[in-house]
Amino acid sequence: MPITYSPLRYPGGKSQLYKFVRNVIEQNGIENPVYVEPFAGGAGLAIELLLKENVHSIVINDFDRAIYSFWYSVLNDPENLINLILNTPINIEEWERQREVYNNQHNYGTLEIGFATFFLNRTNRSGIIKGGPISKDENGKYPLDCRYNSSDLVNKVRRIFTLRDRIQLYNHDAVYFIQRILPNYVANQLFIFFDPPYYKQGKNLYTNFYSHDDHRELSEAIRGIVNSHWITTYDYTDNIAEIYEDMPTKVYQLQYSANRKRKEREYLFHNNRTVVTSFDKVQFLEQIEG
């Protein structure tokens, strides 16, 4: 299993792009970079960049209340979260209880929602919240706790908490975040990595997925960012290619293991301000100037 720095497993997570993104930030000469993820999810890449001192600070945003609740608990209520991680039994009865919390969030507080999200993420197939428990995968081949090493997960929470003063957390729609929150930061210090929900599989993987019009509205907001460096990754579909046809475009390939190991082509778009070249595992298969 690859080393990850986030306590969350996330479908489509971009942790494997760490060296590539680090290189792009360095190549563009950003001083005291502030790394931003408007669709943070598991925030694995953001956390790794911060822990390895590649960036000055990070800004993570997620519109999903459940994901936000988990990160809020890490940054503001870590000891109670840790107590739940260490002392909650890992069995199918508990899984059912935590799913009930997740499905009825209006009845529970931030810590309970955050932990339920974490619990399901660690015990579901491929970390997909909408998926079923691991123990029902592969005819019961894997135990429910096979991705729940409590001591390792607690260490990750504690390590992130020590850097809480360098982490800003938000819970906004991405377009609102772009238009209302990003202007509060020094534009030339920002490096923004947009990793929106997949166009084709988003509804199967995420609680908050986008319609075609949502993807188009987002693209208009993104292309309005001209004084900061940004990149955007997407699944390889004709609809997305059409939406971003006027932007510099690259095609690369990543390996995923959700349900089955496979290599998938993806699009990478960026603005003209940002220099992006192949590096490490990311070798571009195609480049198109917008």
Side-chain angles (χ1 to χ4, degrees):
M1 294 294 294
I3 296 174
T4 59
Y5 295 84
S6 170
L8 295 180
R9 308 157 63 212
Y10 219 74
K14 292 298 190 293
S15 293
Q16 57 187 309
L17 293 179
Y18 161 70
K19 290 183 179 179
F20 168 73
V21 171
R22 180 195 64 188
N23 184 65
V24 173
I25 293 172
E26 293 175 351
Q27 190 174 32
N28 284 274
I30 305 172
E31 296 185 13
N32 299 315
V34 177
Y35 175 80
V36 183
E37 288 189 359
F39 299 90
L45 179 52
I47 297 299
E48 185 168 1
L49 288 166
L50 184 63
L51 288 173
K52 293 184 176 179
E53 295 292 339
N54 301 128
V55 296
H56 177 267
S57 59
I58 62 175
V59 180
I60 56 178
N61 174 76
D62 205 292
F63 186 57
D64 186 338
R65 183 193 177 196
I67 296 297
Y68 170 82
S69 294
F70 170 75
W71 286 117
Y72 183 92
S73 298
V74 170
L75 298 176
N76 297 281
D77 198 5
E79 290 308 315
N80 283 322
L81 177 63
I82 287 169
N83 182 60
L84 288 171
I85 294 172
L86 292 175
N87 297 308
T88 301
I90 314 299
N91 54 49
I92 199 65
E93 291 77 21
E94 186 64 32
W95 185 91
E96 295 282 359
R97 197 182 80 79
Q98 295 300 332
R99 184 177 63 169
E100 191 277 333
V101 173
Y102 183 87
N103 288 338
N104 297 278
Q105 295 179 29
H106 57 282
N107 292 329
Y108 298 94
T110 299
L111 176 64
E112 292 167 302
I113 297 168
F115 178 72
T117 305
F118 167 83
F119 187 95
L120 295 175
N121 175 265
R122 299 307 310 187
T123 58
N124 277 11
R125 295 190 297 271
S126 301
I128 300 172
I129 296 293
K130 288 185 174 183
I134 290 173
S135 55
K136 291 183 180 179
D137 192 26
E138 301 290 338
N139 298 315
K141 178 179 178 181
Y142 302 106
L144 190 62
D145 64 353
C146 68
R147 296 289 183 265
Y148 202 110
N149 183 327
S150 57
S151 60
D152 179 60
L153 293 167
V154 164
N155 287 337
K156 289 180 179 182
V157 169
R158 285 185 169 141
R159 193 174 182 193
I160 294 168
F161 177 71
T162 64
L163 297 174
R164 64 192 180 282
D165 293 338
R166 296 167 62 187
I167 303 172
Q168 293 293 317
L169 173 66
Y170 295 95
N171 177 213
H172 295 300
D173 167 76
V175 173
Y176 180 95
F177 177 79
I178 293 168
Q179 296 174 345
R180 300 295 182 88
I181 302 301
L182 287 184
N184 297 324
Y185 292 87
V186 179
N188 61 12
Q189 286 186 307
L190 298 181
F191 182 87
I192 312 162
F193 186 170
F194 292 95
D195 186 27
Y198 290 146
Y199 189 93
K200 289 189 292 187
Q201 292 294 326
K203 62 183 179 182
N204 298 323
L205 297 174
Y206 311 111
T207 302
N208 298 304
F209 57 91
Y210 275 20
S211 68
H212 179 83
D213 289 343
D214 291 331
H215 285 290
R216 185 173 292 281
E217 181 185 12
L218 174 65
S219 76
E220 293 171 358
I222 291 174
R223 69 183 69 241
I225 302 172
V226 295
N227 294 320
S228 300
H229 296 86
W230 60 260
I231 62 174
T232 302
T233 56
Y234 258 113
D235 45 338
Y236 189 75
T237 70
D238 291 341
N239 299 90
I240 291 301
E242 183 270 327
I243 289 174
Y244 286 87
E245 63 181 354
D246 60 330
M247 303 305 299
T249 303
K250 295 173 172 60
V251 179
Y252 69 103
Q253 191 168 264
L254 281 183
Q255 179 164 306
Y256 290 106
S257 58
N259 298 322
R260 60 183 177 84
K261 288 186 178 181
R262 69 200 188 282
K263 289 186 175 181
E264 297 283 356
R265 288 190 172 203
E266 294 197 354
Y267 280 119
L268 186 150
F269 309 101
H270 59 92
N271 57 356
N272 290 318
R273 182 184 179 91
T274 308
V275 177
V276 180
T277 59
S278 296
F279 183 78
D280 192 54
K281 294 181 180 179
V282 181
Q283 300 299 319
F284 298 130
L285 308 176
E286 184 180 358
Q287 300 190 51
I288 305 167
E289 293 302 319

